[in-house]
Amino acid sequence: MSMNAYACTLPGQPAINAFSEEVQLNTLKWAQRFDLAPQFKSIGWYTKARFGLQAAREYPNATFNQICLAGDLLTWLFTVDDTCDRGSAGADAAIEMKAMLYEFIDILEDKRAPSDNSLSIGLANILDRFRAISTPYLYRVYCKHMADYLRECFFEIDMQLHSYVPTMEKYFEMRPFTGFYIMFPLVAIFEKLDLPDEVYEHKTIVEIELILNLLGCLANDLHSIAREKDLEIAGFNLIFIAQRELNLSHEEAVQYVIDYHDEYVSKLEELRKEIPFWGESINAQIDEYIQGLYTIVKGYDDWAILDTGRYESI
């Protein structure tokens, strides 16, 4: 299979929210309101990134207020991600960035109020809005995924700062915490699903979430080859890790990841057949939830490849 076949990795037609243009404008206003632009990145950077459009792809059925919240969250996350990249530039920058990450985690865990840091104030705004529309359980799940992502940022800062070369085992341990999980609870929150906590915690549902997360990560690895192959230190990308660890050629490593991706697509279908029957209403909502997770991963691909040219053509 050619790499071009992976421009959109998951089957299905692209979808987009009817409020896509409005939410894109809203994300830019939000970035300016909380001084993310121009303090962290220029407004031109946010305009080109089109995080509002990403939200429109990932939540095509959300209301205007819901999709604005998703767009603001994505704006915040990518600002933090970019700031962490710059935090890898040297020891002083790393210390400063890690202090911010500790503060964000404390805010998520209700251990402190935000300081006057713009990112902390923006995070508090996002959390207040989620708290207002979430069940206590889903809000806790959402905050846990956010904290897990921020803890993974420590790992990536140190990986770059100290030229640490991760193993494949470390990849599969840490890579799932790089972002997709954060967006999953929004499906249930936005759709107001009424599922028992035990459903979300069932081993089959948990494994489906992991598989979809890894499908998104592997697709991202494939899409970002051109951008990462010339870096002095390759990113957290299974292609380059497998190439080194398994002594593969570059082409063999690419095929290795494609094969992994295909296996996960098959595994996903197998797992869906293993979902227990809790009742007509509950299982119908489970189907809606899993379809929503699938749409997030596919929507990310469509945004990254079709909408923004985030990665060079592969």
Side-chain angles (χ1 to χ4, degrees), residues 2 11 29-30 36 45 72 74 81 126 152 176 190 210 260 279 299:
S2 73
K29 291 177 181 177
W30 189 86
L36 306 190
W45 184 83
D72 296 345
L74 289 164
D81 185 74
I126 289 169
E152 194 277 338
F190 289 170
L210 175 61
Y260 236 125

Side-chain angles (χ1 to χ4, degrees), residues 3 16 89 114 202:
M3 291 172 64
I16 192 165
H202 190 275

